[in-house]
């Protein structure tokens, strides 16, 4: 066996067909069996799977020909792959050791060498198209989707650390990603008149690999593509606002204990006013603004507050008044349902390991009466105006990855684990091009999702 090892390199997020093409280009002369249609069918079967899952399946299938597929560890973002005959394995390992390299045998877990690769049961799969984000990018779960656009966070944590933000247009398919913006967007809100406000931080990294500029700026503008040139209306090191919303052309922001009202955002510093201050905030739970009908509400310190006219004869204006405060009211998100209801999931201070059962609570804000619906612990997200989804966490093989409640038809439907392979869901969007499911690193465009889900 030759001492030089020249692996086939494929990107970590390559499609299964591209991996097979690269392998064939190098090895089909030596191993013409690679041209058999069985391998095309295997690649097609694994189209929606992670690249590594297909490589393991390919290695498993090659073992039926007494061939072994090895990955050479190169500390890079690519898979470096080598095919060798079984009888050359010991010599191959010696060569790796001499060259101070490490090889990993690629096969499917719990399957013996010499047996065929396990195929995916496509009958359980959701009809969809997959889009993988570029390496290092993840969808931002804190900033809401606006105008069919998602915010992306970029983190490079290698020898040269880098932080940045970008935009992803999901109104067309495949999605279109912007170039890096050269700043980190921490909070973002859109007014009905098309004005945007963003809290941003510079991307300069210090010697320890962390953002060195703790100063944050509040920017206002109308063209999202020129955000770096927006007007700065406020800046400081302690802008720890975790909730922000426009309401009636005025801005509201909140940290874990205080709420501020900015009547004229263009004159931010001159018009900012603290309208509520509490003590002892639970740092694990962020504040949340939401609008029902024509009224602004706030969740803060285990309570819901309503922004309303003051009732005092001696004080004119508005105030946040507590209207709902049941015992141990802990929640992470509140989603409007129609004009006078809000959906959320309460959770205990600690969730025992293995406990997944929970309830979705729907509160009528006018009567303060609640309805409860059994579900699992998860993220509560809006799909359409009257469809609310719970996206379970800590998923096991017999659990749904989406539990959807349609409050027009009073139906509940579920998308079961396995519909997207091993992936779970962390957000759902209804866009001009259809329903988009997000896993943070990948997006799926689903076809007729509601009718596919099981009642």
């Amino acid at each position: 066996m030759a001492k030089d090892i020249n692996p086939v390199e494929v990107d970590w997020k390559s499609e299964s067909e591209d991996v097979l093409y690269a392998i064939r280009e190098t090895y089909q002369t030596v191993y013409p069996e690679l041209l058999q249609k069985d391998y095309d069918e295997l690649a097609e079967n694994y189209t929606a799977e992670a690249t590594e899952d297909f490589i393991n399946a390919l290695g498993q299938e090659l073992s039926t020909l007494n061939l072994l597929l090895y990955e050479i560890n190169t500390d890079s973002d690519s898979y470096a792959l080598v095919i060798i005959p079984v009888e050359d394995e010991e010599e191959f390992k010696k060569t790796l050791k001499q060259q101070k390299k490490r090889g990993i045998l690629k096969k499917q877990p719990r399957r013996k060498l010499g047996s065929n690769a396990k195929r995916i049961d496509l009958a359980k799969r959701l009809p969809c198209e997959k889009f993988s984000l570029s390496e290092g990018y993840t969808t931002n779960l804190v900033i809401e989707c606006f105008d069919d656009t998602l915010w992306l966070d970029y983190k490079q944590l290698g020898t040269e650390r880098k932080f940045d933000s970008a935009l992803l247009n999901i109104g067309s398919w495949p999605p279109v990603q912007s170039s890096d913006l050269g700043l980190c967007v921490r909070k973002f809100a859109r007014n009905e008149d098309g004005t945007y406000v963003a809290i941003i931080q510079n991307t300069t990294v210090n010697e320890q690999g962390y953002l060195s500029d703790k100063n944050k700026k509040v920017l206002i503008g109308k063209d999202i593509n020129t955000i770096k040139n927006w007007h700065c209306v406020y800046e400081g090191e302690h802008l720890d606002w975790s909730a922000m919303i426009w309401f009636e052309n005025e801005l509201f922001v909140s940290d874990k204990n205080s709420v501020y009202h900015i009547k004229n955002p263009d004159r931010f510093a001159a018009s900012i006013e603290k309208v509520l201050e509490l003590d002892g905030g639970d740092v694990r739970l962020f504040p949340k603004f939401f609008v029902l009908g024509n009224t602004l509400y706030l969740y803060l310190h285990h309570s819901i507050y309503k922004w309303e006219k003051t009732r005092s004869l001696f004080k004119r204006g508005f105030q946040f008044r507590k209207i709902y405060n049941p015992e141990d009211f802990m929640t992470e998100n509140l989603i409007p349902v129609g004009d006078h209801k809000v959906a959320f999931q309460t959770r205990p201070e600690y969730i025992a390991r293995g406990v997944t059962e929970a309830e979705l609570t729907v509160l009528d804000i006018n009567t303060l009466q609640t309805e409860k619906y059994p579900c699992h612990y998860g993220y509560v997200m809006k799909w359409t105006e009257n469809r609310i989804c719970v996206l379970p966490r800590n998923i096991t093989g017999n659990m749904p990855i989406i539990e959807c409640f349609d409050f027009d038809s009073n139906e509940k439907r579920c998308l079961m684990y396995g519909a997207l392979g091993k992936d779970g869901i962390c957000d759902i969007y209804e866009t001009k091009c259809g329903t988009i499911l997000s896993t943070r690193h990948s997006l799926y465009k689903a076809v007729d999702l509601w009718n596919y889900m099981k009642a």
Side-chain angles (χ1 to χ4, degrees):
M1 176 179 177
K3 292 295 182 183
D4 291 332
I5 297 175
N6 299 308
V8 177
E9 292 197 6
V10 295
D11 190 75
W12 70 278
K13 58 181 177 59
S14 295
E15 301 292 339
S16 55
E17 291 88 348
D18 295 332
V19 175
L20 180 60
Y21 176 83
I23 289 286
R24 280 174 166 170
E25 196 172 43
T26 299
Y27 286 106
Q28 65 183 7
T29 303
V30 183
Y31 307 118
E33 299 91 339
L34 285 168
L35 296 175
Q36 294 174 0
K37 66 177 183 179
D38 290 350
Y39 292 92
D40 294 288
E41 293 171 354
L42 182 67
E44 183 178 353
N45 184 255
Y46 274 79
T47 296
E49 304 306 306
T51 305
E52 184 170 12
D53 289 340
F54 171 66
I55 291 174
N56 288 336
L58 180 60
Q60 186 68 46
E61 194 74 10
L62 286 171
S63 73
T64 64
L65 302 175
N66 288 320
L67 298 175
L68 300 177
L69 180 64
Y70 266 87
E71 177 195 352
I72 309 302
N73 190 338
T74 59
D75 293 324
S76 73
D77 300 328
S78 300
Y79 290 101
L81 304 173
V82 176
I83 297 177
I84 62 169
V86 170
E87 58 269 21
D88 289 346
E89 185 178 21
E90 290 306 315
E91 185 180 350
F92 176 73
K93 289 180 178 179
K94 290 178 183 177
T95 303
L96 286 177
K97 189 174 182 179
Q98 290 169 0
Q99 298 182 6
K100 297 182 179 179
K101 295 179 180 178
R102 187 167 69 91
I104 305 166
L105 178 63
K106 308 305 287 184
K107 62 180 287 291
Q108 292 179 318
R110 297 180 296 279
R111 293 184 81 80
K112 293 181 178 180
L113 290 173
S115 60
N116 292 103
K118 180 181 178 181
R119 266 58 173 178
I120 303 298
D121 184 358
L122 298 180
K124 298 179 180 179
R125 290 304 171 89
L126 173 70
C128 61
E129 298 177 52
K130 183 178 181 180
F131 175 84
S132 297
L133 299 181
S134 300
E135 184 192 2
Y137 292 90
T138 57
T139 56
N140 186 307
L141 295 180
V142 177
I143 304 177
E144 294 181 357
C145 180
F146 71 99
D147 299 337
D148 286 351
T149 302
L150 298 179
W151 282 100
L152 301 181
D153 293 329
Y154 179 81
K155 293 182 182 180
Q156 178 177 305
L157 302 178
T159 53
E160 295 185 10
R161 294 171 71 96
K162 177 185 173 183
F163 301 84
D164 217 315
S165 294
L167 295 163
L168 186 71
N169 181 354
I170 59 173
S172 59
W173 194 266
V176 179
Q177 182 175 327
S178 73
S179 56
D180 291 345
L181 299 175
L183 46 81
C184 293
V185 178
R186 298 309 188 194
K187 293 300 297 179
F188 184 85
R190 180 186 185 277
N191 195 11
E192 291 181 351
D193 68 357
T195 302
Y196 303 108
V197 61
I199 299 176
I200 65 99
Q201 190 172 359
N202 290 329
T203 59
T204 308
V205 176
N206 59 26
E207 293 181 356
Q208 289 72 42
Y210 299 98
L211 292 173
S212 58
D213 189 353
K214 302 303 179 184
N215 193 55
K216 296 177 185 175
K217 298 179 180 179
V218 180
L219 307 181
I220 289 183
K222 290 207 169 186
D223 183 357
I224 193 69
N225 297 306
T226 62
I227 185 171
K228 289 192 76 172
N229 300 322
W230 286 0
H231 178 48
C232 176
V233 295
Y234 197 72
E235 63 180 300
E237 287 193 8
H238 303 292
L239 302 185
D240 297 323
W241 299 326
S242 47
M244 182 167 66
I245 193 172
W246 288 92
F247 180 71
E248 296 182 344
N249 295 316
E250 299 174 350
L251 197 63
F252 292 80
V253 294
S254 177
D255 57 30
K256 65 178 182 179
N257 291 316
S258 303
V259 185
Y260 301 87
H261 176 209
I262 302 95
K263 290 184 179 180
N264 185 352
D266 285 320
R267 298 179 61 248
F268 202 101
S271 65
I272 186 169
E273 176 190 7
K274 185 183 290 186
V275 291
L276 182 65
E277 184 172 19
L278 304 173
D279 295 323
D282 191 332
V283 295
R284 295 169 303 164
L285 298 173
F286 294 109
K288 171 76 175 180
F289 291 108
F290 61 96
V291 175
L292 291 175
N294 297 315
T295 306
L296 175 66
Y297 296 89
L298 164 72
Y299 170 76
L300 182 67
H301 282 222
H302 306 183
S303 303
I304 292 179
Y305 292 81
K306 180 181 180 182
W307 181 244
E308 62 182 14
K309 289 183 178 180
T310 55
R311 299 180 180 181
S312 169
L313 295 175
F314 306 102
K315 182 181 178 182
R316 295 183 179 181
F318 286 78
Q319 67 178 1
F320 275 105
R321 181 174 66 88
K322 186 186 297 186
I323 62 169
Y324 186 69
N325 180 226
E327 185 177 357
D328 298 326
F329 179 30
M330 295 176 62
T331 188
E332 294 176 319
N333 207 3
L334 299 98
I335 304 296
V337 182
D339 289 336
H340 61 93
K341 292 183 178 181
V342 61
F344 51 86
Q345 190 176 86
T346 57
R347 48 162 292 170
E349 186 173 357
Y350 299 101
I351 300 174
R353 187 174 181 179
V355 174
T356 62
E357 290 78 13
E359 291 178 325
L360 178 70
T361 299
V362 178
L363 170 70
D364 187 315
I365 208 72
N366 295 330
T367 65
L368 300 183
Q369 298 298 308
T370 61
E371 299 173 279
K372 296 184 182 293
Y373 302 86
C375 61
H376 294 82
Y377 283 115
Y379 306 100
V380 181
M381 298 293 180
K382 177 182 177 179
W383 178 6
T384 63
E385 194 60 36
N386 285 292
R387 283 181 183 167
I388 304 298
C389 293
V390 176
L391 310 176
R393 316 178 206 197
N394 302 320
I395 298 170
T396 60
N398 59 351
M399 281 177 58
I401 59 174
I402 300 178
E403 295 175 280
C404 183
F405 299 85
D406 188 310
F407 293 105
D408 279 341
S409 62
N410 291 320
E411 286 185 86
K412 175 186 176 182
R413 295 193 180 183
C414 297
L415 184 68
M416 300 305 294
Y417 176 78
L420 295 176
K422 297 178 181 178
D423 282 344
I425 302 299
C426 62
D427 216 332
I428 181 170
Y429 315 99
E430 193 63 28
T431 72
K432 286 179 286 190
C433 73
T435 304
I436 307 296
L437 306 176
S438 170
T439 69
R440 294 212 73 191
H441 298 283
S442 302
L443 300 175
Y444 293 89
K445 178 187 172 186
V447 178
D448 200 17
L449 177 61
W450 175 255
N451 288 325
Y452 181 86
M453 292 195 292
K454 296 179 180 179

